Amino acid sequence: MPDEVAEWLQHADLGQTMIAARDRHMAENTGLLAAEPGARIVLWAHNGHVMKSHYTGSTVPATGRHLADTYGDAYYAMGLLFGAGEFRARPSRFGRILRGRSPVRIRVPAASAPRIVEARLAAAHPGDYVVDLRGGGRPEAVAAWLGERTFTRGFGAVAGRFIAKTAFSPAVLGEMYDGLTFVPRTTCSTPL
């Protein structure tokens, strides 16, 4: 974890950390937009923000947890996952952001381990698709999988050279998301 991010988590009261404040304020700002008459909102953010749970190993609620508490079933948390490809991120080395450097292209190989969600989704169906996790009845094996601890890729705005092979976050899909969008291959953004 980059030092700058680790510092965000440094406080005796986790609710007073910068990361907790950021997610709380993101939810409050979304609430201001939702207060407009007839408002319908799509909030596009990192999976770690839109999830309806707490940050792994902490009591810090993600933006999605705040929104689910406020709006109940009117909040639909959609996770976005991909099989392979690339993305752009700020470079880091030994946990520190390399200041003054432009974002770099990070290549991501296909995941192959069975406990990696992206590998299971890639094997389940070729092509792009959306899965509604709120849907009614499901086979017992699917319900069990949605309730067990698995792992998803956890990339962010800062990435080191080897991040594509090691950046996995614990996930209990049925608790975190109402739906998943899967794209087999992604391409990174093009700087303007």
Side-chain angles (χ1 to χ4, degrees), residues 59-162:
T59 58
V60 175
T63 302
R65 176 72 265 149
H66 290 291
L67 295 172
D69 288 344
T70 301
Y71 300 105
D73 285 344
Y75 176 69
Y76 190 94
M78 175 71 78
L80 173 60
L81 303 172
F82 68 95
E86 53 193 26
F87 65 97
R88 224 172 263 291
R90 298 286 310 257
S92 69
R93 184 175 297 144
F94 304 115
R96 293 196 177 281
I97 296 173
L98 298 177
R99 302 239 180 248
R101 300 249 332 256
S102 297
V104 296
R105 182 181 303 220
I106 307 291
R107 288 181 178 78
V108 182
S112 58
R115 289 193 42 99
I116 306 301
V117 173
E118 291 86 345
R120 301 276 307 261
L121 295 176
H125 179 76
D128 304 344
Y129 62 96
V130 175
V131 179
D132 179 17
L133 302 180
R134 275 191 189 175
R138 55 180 52 103
E140 189 175 311
V142 172
W145 183 62
L146 293 175
E148 75 182 24
R149 186 174 186 226
T150 58
F151 296 88
T152 61
R153 289 186 166 133
F155 307 121
V158 178
R161 217 168 111 188
F162 303 107

Side-chain angles (χ1 to χ4, degrees), residues 18-86:
M18 288 175 63
I19 200 164
R22 179 177 65 175
D23 277 80
R24 187 174 56 251
H25 291 305
M26 287 169 62
E28 289 170 359
N29 286 335
T30 303
L32 292 173
L33 295 170
E36 294 292 322
R40 295 177 61 126
I41 298 170
V42 174
L43 172 65
W44 189 355
H46 187 281
N47 287 345
H49 295 299
V50 301
M51 68 181 177
K52 297 189 325 181
S53 55
H54 295 80
Y55 282 97
T56 303
S58 79
T59 58
V60 175
T63 302
R65 176 72 265 149
H66 290 291
L67 295 172
D69 288 344
T70 301
Y71 300 105
D73 285 344
Y75 176 69
Y76 190 94
M78 175 71 78
L80 173 60
L81 303 172
F82 68 95
E86 53 193 26

